[in-house]
Amino acid sequence: MSALALLTALLIGPLLLGACGSPATDGPPDAPTSAPSSSPPSAAPSSAAPSSAAPSSTAPAPDAEPPVAAGSSADLEVDGRPVELAVPAGYDASDPAPLLVALHGFGDSPAGVDEGLGLRDEAARRGMLYALPEGTPDPAGRLFWDAADACCGFDAEPVDDSGYLAEVIRTIADAYAVDPARVAVVGHSNGGFMAYRMACDHADLVTVAVSLAGAMPADDGACSPSEPVTVVQAHGTADTVIAFDGGGTPGGDYTSAPGSAAAWARLDGCADEPRDAAGALDLDTGLAGAETSVASYAGCAAGARVELWTIDGGSHSPSLGDAFAHGVLDVVADPTAAAASGAGR
């Protein structure tokens, strides 16, 4: 059997057993045959501070009726697709709120990534708007994001998910007071690939990208953000689906977890080498002790931060506890803070 055929069999096989790429249970994400090209357009990088041109921090008109009331959640429709939006109870249009967008994995769902990442309650407690958009069904009915050649528009028509998710952010910002300095995209697996795609394409909108078990393309030229973006790459060393050390699918290659963080360190103008934070984090409740080490890059442009969270022994879909939500939302709340292992995590 050829190497390509073996890789395809390994990736497709679990799909045929009905697994999905949810963080709650190990499953395939990023599978099979061919993928449409989805390389971001090239743009000159800049070290300027993050732009506030869009979304605007100006509060909506006082007489504007928000589509979802404070303290509740409901579906919006953006370009014909549902987006669940949860508005915190303390939302005040005179006080711009952070926006957190969570992206599911290949074959997963908004409900699946919501449960697996466990961000909802902590986002509400911290007064953050929380959005759960939905990908497009492929011919087999599996939801996907057209994020990169390596993942995951296999056997499907190309979809401008980058443009769509930018419209999701703008739609929410038109109806709510969104803090433009705290707009985060957090994704698992295919959603992690898509979080990176959004940071590459829409650094004027996205200030934080968190990728759990996703990766950057192997091609360094595939990403040219217009300005610095704070990035966290979280990855299990025992991930057998999207390998910690990098690899490929029939659609294309992806880089390693350390390589993904290093790529953003270069894009953000950070120091060449990361430094290890003191102590460790206990992110995966299925593993004993504090299993996650944190390495951070110093000196990034415009105060951005780049961190690698290495989950020693973690699988593709780790069992995430409250510490993961605390750690991610600490970054969203203060994207320019230096890494501080254990602080609020």
Side-chain angles (χ1 to χ4, degrees):
M1 178 181 290
S2 70
L4 178 59
L6 177 59
L7 173 61
T8 303
L10 288 172
L11 288 170
I12 296 178
L15 287 171
L16 298 179
L17 294 176
C20 68
S22 167
T25 56
D26 247 346
D30 315 345
T33 57
S34 62
S37 174
S38 56
S39 297
S42 176
S46 165
S47 60
S51 167
S52 60
S56 169
S57 61
T58 303
D63 58 349
E65 185 70 26
V68 182
S72 65
S73 65
D75 281 351
L76 309 177
E77 186 176 291
V78 179
D79 290 348
R81 292 200 236 175
V83 180
E84 183 188 353
L85 177 65
V87 180
Y91 170 77
D92 181 344
S94 67
D95 184 14
L99 170 60
L100 179 65
V101 181
L103 302 178
H104 61 75
F106 176 72
D108 197 8
S109 66
V113 77
D114 182 34
E115 179 181 359
L117 295 183
L119 301 174
R120 182 186 292 264
D121 290 347
E122 185 64 12
R125 190 182 71 79
R126 297 192 189 207
M128 297 183 180
L129 297 159
Y130 177 57
L132 288 157
E134 184 175 289
T136 302
D138 71 4
R142 301 166 297 193
L143 295 177
F144 74 96
W145 301 107
D146 197 353
D149 288 349
C151 178
C152 277
F154 305 110
D155 301 322
E157 293 296 320
V159 179
D160 182 13
D161 281 321
S162 173
Y164 167 70
L165 291 173
E167 185 61 23
V168 167
I169 293 170
R170 293 189 183 101
T171 297
I172 295 170
D174 284 345
Y176 296 88
V178 171
D179 183 349
R182 294 172 176 81
V183 177
V185 183
V186 182
H188 171 246
S189 192
N190 182 201
F193 281 83
M194 194 67 224
Y196 279 145
R197 177 68 185 272
M198 289 299 293
C200 291
D201 288 7
H202 300 288
D204 59 325
L205 289 175
V206 173
T207 57
V208 177
V210 178
S211 169
L212 171 65
M216 284 286 286
D219 176 10
D220 277 349
C223 181
S224 297
S226 60
E227 51 203 84
V229 177
T230 287
V231 163
V232 173
Q233 171 71 32
H235 215 124
T237 59
D239 190 336
T240 59
V241 181
I242 299 299
F244 181 87
D245 293 327
T249 72
D253 293 336
Y254 57 88
T255 195
S256 67
S260 294
W264 275 100
R266 292 190 295 271
L267 292 167
D268 284 350
C270 310
D272 290 339
E273 296 295 331
R275 60 189 182 193
D276 293 334
L281 310 179
D282 186 8
L283 300 185
D284 191 334
T285 62
L287 299 172
E291 76 297 314
T292 300
S293 61
V294 176
S296 64
Y297 288 85
C300 305
R305 59 198 283 194
V306 175
E307 295 184 8
L308 172 65
W309 298 357
T310 300
I311 307 172
D312 188 20
S315 68
H316 183 65
S317 298
S319 299
L320 300 174
D322 292 342
F324 179 79
H326 285 287
V328 167
L329 298 189
D330 282 351
V331 175
V332 177
D334 193 357
T336 62
S341 177
R345 300 179 187 179

